[in-house]
Amino acid sequence: MSKTTIPTGGITDGTIASGDLADDAVTAAKIADAVTLGKVLQTQSTSSTSRTTVSASTFTGCGLSDTITCATTSSKVLVIVSAEFDNDSNNASVTNTHAIFQLTRNHSGISETEIYQVREGHNRPENSGMDMIFIGNLAIIFLDSPSTTNELTYTLNVKNDPSTSGTQIPANNGESHKAMTLIEVGA
Amino acid sequence: MTTFVKAIKTINPSAEFKFENDDIDNITWLNGTTPIPKSDIVAKKAELQTTYDNNKYQRDRKTEYPYLGEQLDKLYHDMTAGKLDATGEWHKTIKAIKDKYPKE
């Protein structure tokens, strides 16, 4: 009887249970090759304390981006962005000030797509006669489906509303970071 | 407190720009903004800081002045008591704060 075949009647109850297999019959590598669903295939991350100041009415890069190249077109990319920022209205006569953040995916320089946008702001119902300054924590967790194996670049941009305001990222306290993590998940 | 952003916005409220770590030698001017010379920005920042420092007494007073409704209530009671002069409660309250933080 060959050791590489299962003889007729060898599986007496008709079911292959773990006890019927030799210890080395299925290697970890074979399992890894066969099972990718939900598995973390790779991670990329970047972090910086370099403070970028932006005062603009259109989306402008704020010094945070990272790249990843997926193994398969079916992979998902979990994008995690975290940063502390501050926003100053620079204007005593306004009653609100906002920093608007945008996350984009650039596909090998072929196209750029906005995949997420969030507005962080501060409002005062009455004009206080003073500039408004607020500090906020930006947290973006977004599951992207890029459907490509080309290199992808994810970038964080910011613009200001009103455009007289300015945003610093990370906040100007000497301790903050801005960080982006990209996780390719098999699907 | 003042910043380079405030200085630039005081010179040109419509200016759009970005820079890193307060490095105003390397400002990226955005959306057609005419660049402002560094010397102008530095001078304006110093001017704003001087104004800010000189107005400290105003900021100190502002935090201690009673809420507007409370002040109006004091005035009402002073009126009722016929004390709309330096003997009234409103006048005494405001004067105490002004004396505490004199204009320099």
Side-chain angles (χ1 to χ4, degrees):
Chain A
M1 180 178 68
S2 169
K3 292 182 180 179
T4 59
T5 59
I6 299 171
T8 302
I11 309 296
T12 55
D13 60 1
T15 301
I16 300 174
S18 59
D20 297 327
L21 300 172
D23 289 343
D24 61 350
V26 180
T27 65
K30 282 186 177 178
I31 294 172
D33 285 347
V35 182
T36 58
L37 187 66
K39 181 183 171 187
V40 172
L41 301 179
Q42 65 171 309
T43 62
Q44 304 290 336
S45 64
T46 184
S47 176
S48 172
T49 57
S50 181
R51 178 166 39 87
T52 304
T53 302
V54 174
S55 180
S57 60
T58 55
F59 283 115
T60 303
C62 49
L64 187 62
S65 67
D66 205 353
T67 62
I68 192 168
T69 302
C70 291
T72 69
T73 56
S74 62
S75 291
K76 307 282 187 182
V77 177
L78 183 62
V79 185
I80 302 171
V81 176
S82 62
E84 187 177 44
F85 66 93
D86 64 53
N87 179 280
D88 186 338
S89 67
N90 293 307
N91 188 338
S93 62
V94 297
T95 57
N96 63 82
T97 183
H98 297 87
I100 305 164
F101 292 95
Q102 177 197 52
L103 185 64
T104 59
R105 179 213 311 126
N106 189 305
H107 179 180
S108 302
I110 299 169
S111 64
E112 186 164 84
T113 306
E114 174 184 296
I115 58 173
Y116 193 86
Q117 189 179 131
V118 63
R119 173 181 285 256
E120 306 271 357
H122 182 69
N123 295 277
R124 279 185 184 158
E126 296 175 353
N127 188 339
S128 68
M130 294 188 290
D131 290 3
M132 284 184 284
I133 301 173
F134 75 95
I135 296 175
N137 281 295
L138 175 67
I140 297 174
I141 301 174
F142 184 81
L143 186 62
D144 192 27
S145 303
S147 302
T148 181
T149 54
N150 287 351
E151 183 181 80
L152 301 168
T153 301
Y154 291 88
T155 302
L156 183 69
N157 304 301
V158 67
K159 69 176 181 180
N160 298 280
D161 178 25
S163 61
T164 52
S165 67
T167 300
Q168 296 188 111
I169 178 167
N172 187 15
N173 60 16
E175 300 168 346
S176 296
H177 287 68
K178 51 187 173 186
M180 178 182 288
T181 300
L182 306 175
I183 301 174
E184 182 187 358
V185 181
Chain B
M1 186 189 75
T2 189
T3 62
F4 287 122
V5 175
K6 238 181 259 299
I8 294 169
K9 290 293 189 182
T10 303
I11 297 169
N12 177 8
S14 301
E16 300 195 16
F17 53 88
K18 84 169 186 176
F19 53 80
E20 297 282 330
N21 297 318
D22 284 342
D23 179 10
I24 60 167
D25 285 319
N26 293 293
I27 297 175
T28 302
W29 300 98
L30 304 168
N31 299 328
T33 298
T34 301
I36 299 170
K38 176 186 174 183
S39 57
D40 290 2
I41 297 170
V42 171
K44 181 58 72 176
K45 183 170 184 280
E47 177 190 324
L48 292 174
Q49 189 64 50
T50 299
T51 302
Y52 180 84
D53 293 343
N54 290 343
N55 290 340
K56 183 176 186 305
Y57 76 97
Q58 291 180 348
R59 295 191 300 277
D60 291 340
R61 287 177 178 179
K62 194 166 188 172
T63 59
E64 293 207 19
Y65 284 142
Y67 174 63
L68 197 55
E70 190 179 329
Q71 291 193 45
L72 290 171
D73 190 56
K74 283 184 190 295
L75 283 172
Y76 168 79
H77 288 291
D78 288 345
M79 276 183 183
T80 304
K83 291 184 174 180
L84 274 179
D85 56 17
T87 66
E89 286 304 311
W90 179 83
H91 186 276
K92 285 193 279 186
T93 300
I94 299 299
K95 185 176 187 311
I97 296 167
K98 287 182 183 293
D99 290 347
K100 184 178 178 182
Y101 303 109
K103 186 176 181 178
E104 294 164 0

